[in-house]
Amino acid sequence: MSEFVVSLDGVEKHFGAVRALDRVSLNVPAGICLGLVGHNGAGKSTLMNVLAGTLTPDRGAVVIGGSRPPAYSVAIAHRLGVRCVFQELSLCPNLTVAENARVTHASIAGLGWRGRAGRLILDKLDEIFPGHGVSAEALVGDLPIGRRQMIEVARAFTITDEKLRLVILDEPTSSLDAHAAAQLLAYVRKATRQGASCILISHLLGEILSVSDAIVVMRDGTIVAQGEAATFDRARLISTMGGRAAADQPADARPSEAAGERPLRVRARPPNQGDRLECVARAGDIVGLAGLAGHGQTDLLLAIFASAGRRSESAEVRAPLAFIPGDRQSDGIFPLWSIAENVGVRSIARQRRHGLLSRRLGRAFAAQWREKLNIRTPDMDDNILTLSGGNQQKALFARAFGSDAEIILMDDPMRGVDVATKQEIYSLIAAEAAAGRTFVWYTTEIEELRHCHRAYIFRNGRIVSEVGRKNMSEEEIISASFEEAASP
């Protein structure tokens, strides 16, 4: 096995009755990008956690550079040159950017260590994400999730006295806009040309096909296909994962009434917008918020959410609403609660019988949405953290869709959601819009904007352009995102 950077041999892992990995063997040569794909719950992240040393396999071996460490752990993996960018980011929110860099580099010590750690991480950020706008003294917890993801990626590629053999990238572009994602993928190609290896996990199949040298497909804890990337296309990937390709053109799902006859649901404008464009959403609208990450889209969603039920100068809200966050760990799930409780917390009234909460009704409600969104779990009474990241996100969709909300705000909500589930959710959004529900949807994926009736493009905290579905091209959106005087 010495010709491989890392090898996994017959790895098995169980979580109670759930078989997460079933005799998985995987070899990663030097100097390649290996794409790893599969639906939520297929075992991808579990396999990478074994490789990164954060999980101990029940059976099987981890071989690094041809030798098998007697006891494998995160510290040993790091010393042997294996780094991991986790789907659920692992930065310490109460530390600065420089201090987080020091956490993984014990050799940075003595007087002036903060300055050296800061230069190390900023140099790598400059190399991967030119124009990133991150300060070494910034507190990580105060940064938007997109910048936190940039820092996590850059930290994984930093080198001091340890070698760098393999970087595992688990959904690394899920919180990045199209521009930053392109910067990262270009750097992955550069890093592999220089001899490092990468494992790229992504539900964006275009990323996998464009960057990978080889591809591995997982399903139900096993590897079901692998080979050179040139032997795969999108259709083969989807069919191998056990799904089917979706129609190219989204349905125009909206009530048949003219726009003026449909009731106004949301009217909002960012601070300092002046007399320029404002975000308007009527019953049945699917409205997109686009542009580079961190330019005010999430702030507008939060302003709309905060304006519900009260008067506000920044936003007008005329119906009940629900919010689906992209940062599920910080803003979405209740980690001490069960899956069923997380799904049903926004729909308490539907679970009452004679004025009291009914466990039977609660379980029936949760079971209905488990089936509707295919939440992969043996028991909805299990803790929410037993789910994979993508299935946790499905639970947040179920919470919002199952509620009485007539307006649903979505803050880049498809983070970590597999391609088949995305298509199901797109169809559900279209059907709900046709029934009169309103969606205001911030997404970093330009492809998702095609499911919106129109999109507002943000730059430097302001709406600078409005684009209808017919004119919604990548070129138009990127141009508006960068031009200072983009026309409305």
Side-chain angles (χ1 to χ4, degrees):
M1 294 184 182
S2 59
E3 74 249 41
F4 300 117
V5 173
V6 299
S7 297
L8 298 173
D9 184 20
V11 170
E12 294 186 16
K13 185 66 182 178
H14 293 77
F15 297 102
V18 177
R19 181 190 62 186
L21 297 174
D22 185 12
R23 297 186 298 276
V24 175
S25 296
L26 178 69
N27 298 316
V28 183
I32 75 158
C33 177
L34 178 70
L36 182 60
V37 298
H39 292 325
N40 294 129
K44 308 181 301 297
S45 293
T46 302
L47 187 66
M48 294 304 100
N49 274 279
V50 168
L51 185 50
T54 55
L55 282 178
T56 301
D58 300 326
R59 188 174 300 172
V62 179
V63 180
I64 309 293
S67 62
R68 177 178 177 177
Y72 195 61
S73 65
V74 174
I76 292 174
H78 195 276
R79 190 175 74 242
L80 294 175
V82 177
R83 314 280 180 83
C84 187
V85 175
F86 296 97
Q87 183 178 352
E88 309 300 341
L89 303 183
S90 63
L91 298 173
C92 301
N94 60 324
L95 300 182
T96 66
V97 174
E99 290 166 344
N100 269 279
R102 165 63 178 79
V103 166
T104 55
H105 293 287
S107 62
I108 303 177
L111 290 175
W113 67 264
R114 279 189 175 83
R116 296 197 301 276
R119 285 193 296 275
L120 178 71
I121 189 69
L122 289 183
D123 286 348
K124 189 57 67 174
L125 279 165
D126 289 341
E127 187 178 359
I128 303 175
F129 303 106
H132 52 80
V134 175
S135 166
E137 292 77 33
L139 198 66
V140 164
D142 293 338
L143 297 175
I145 190 170
R147 286 201 171 98
R148 280 184 273 153
Q149 192 143 32
M150 289 181 184
I151 296 163
E152 182 110 13
V153 168
R155 185 176 69 168
F157 282 99
T158 54
I159 302 174
T160 50
D161 55 349
E162 300 97 353
K163 65 183 72 178
L164 182 63
R165 279 191 169 103
L166 173 71
V167 177
I168 303 162
L169 300 166
D170 193 352
E171 300 288 350
T173 65
S174 59
S175 295
L176 302 180
D177 57 52
H179 178 66
Q183 290 177 323
L184 172 56
L185 298 179
Y187 184 79
V188 168
R189 289 190 288 267
K190 175 183 175 182
T192 54
R193 286 196 301 269
Q194 294 174 346
S197 295
C198 292
I199 296 178
L200 174 63
I201 302 175
S202 179
H203 290 305
L204 301 178
L205 301 186
E207 290 183 353
I208 294 290
L209 293 167
S210 65
V211 177
S212 303
D213 300 294
I215 295 175
V216 170
V217 183
M218 292 190 69
R219 187 168 70 224
D220 297 330
T222 64
I223 292 175
V224 294
Q226 56 185 315
E228 294 183 3
T231 65
F232 288 89
D233 58 18
R234 183 181 177 85
R236 185 188 172 196
L237 284 178
I238 292 174
S239 64
T240 307
M241 287 189 290
R244 58 185 181 84
D248 291 335
Q249 185 62 36
D252 187 8
R254 196 157 34 176
S256 57
E257 301 97 293
E261 298 172 355
R262 289 185 280 116
L264 178 71
R265 290 279 175 78
V266 174
R267 185 189 301 277
R269 61 174 59 209
N272 304 318
Q273 184 70 25
D275 295 329
R276 295 172 65 88
L277 290 168
E278 61 182 1
C279 174
V280 175
R282 295 184 176 274
D285 279 347
I286 305 173
V287 174
L289 308 181
L292 300 180
H295 278 245
Q297 303 94 330
T298 298
D299 292 337
L300 186 69
L301 289 176
L302 292 174
I304 295 170
F305 186 76
S307 299
R310 67 180 182 86
R311 297 183 63 180
S312 169
E313 294 182 1
S314 60
E316 178 183 356
V317 179
R318 297 188 178 182
L321 54 75
F323 192 101
I324 304 175
D327 189 356
R328 55 183 165 266
Q329 294 299 315
S330 299
D331 304 325
I333 65 170
F334 295 94
L336 300 181
W337 291 11
S338 71
I339 307 164
E341 289 168 331
N342 270 273
V343 169
V345 67
R346 182 61 176 76
S347 304
I348 296 297
R350 299 187 182 187
Q351 301 168 54
R352 286 193 180 126
R353 184 176 179 86
H354 305 304
L356 299 175
L357 280 177
S358 165
R359 287 182 63 84
R360 182 182 64 81
L361 291 177
R363 285 173 172 166
F365 180 83
Q368 173 191 353
W369 283 98
R370 171 190 177 183
E371 181 177 355
K372 203 163 188 176
L373 290 179
N374 190 25
I375 299 174
R376 296 172 64 91
T377 177
D379 191 341
M380 291 291 281
D381 286 330
D382 287 346
N383 183 272
I384 186 73
L385 296 180
T386 62
L387 296 178
S388 67
N391 279 287
Q392 289 178 26
Q393 198 69 18
K394 290 183 191 179
L396 299 187
F397 275 106
R399 177 195 299 170
F401 283 120
S403 74
D404 64 351
E406 297 177 44
I407 305 164
I408 295 183
L409 310 177
M410 304 192 296
D411 186 16
D412 208 12
M414 301 296 183
R415 183 168 174 259
V417 177
D418 64 63
V419 63
T421 301
K422 282 183 179 181
Q423 299 301 330
E424 293 169 3
I425 291 173
Y426 298 154
S427 297
L428 189 55
I429 290 172
E432 292 293 312
R437 220 168 203 173
T438 301
F439 294 85
V440 184
W441 181 0
Y442 167 48
T443 174
T444 54
E445 298 181 30
I446 291 178
E447 184 67 20
E448 288 188 344
L449 292 172
R450 295 174 61 249
H451 296 273
C452 301
H453 298 119
R454 64 183 180 282
Y456 296 101
I457 317 302
F458 281 67
R459 188 181 192 278
N460 293 333
R462 296 187 297 112
I463 298 172
V464 296
S465 182
E466 179 182 346
V467 182
R469 178 183 284 174
K470 292 182 179 179
N471 299 320
M472 212 174 289
S473 66
E474 183 173 357
E475 294 77 11
E476 177 75 20
I477 292 167
I478 291 177
S479 174
S481 300
F482 281 95
E483 290 179 9
E484 181 66 44
S487 57

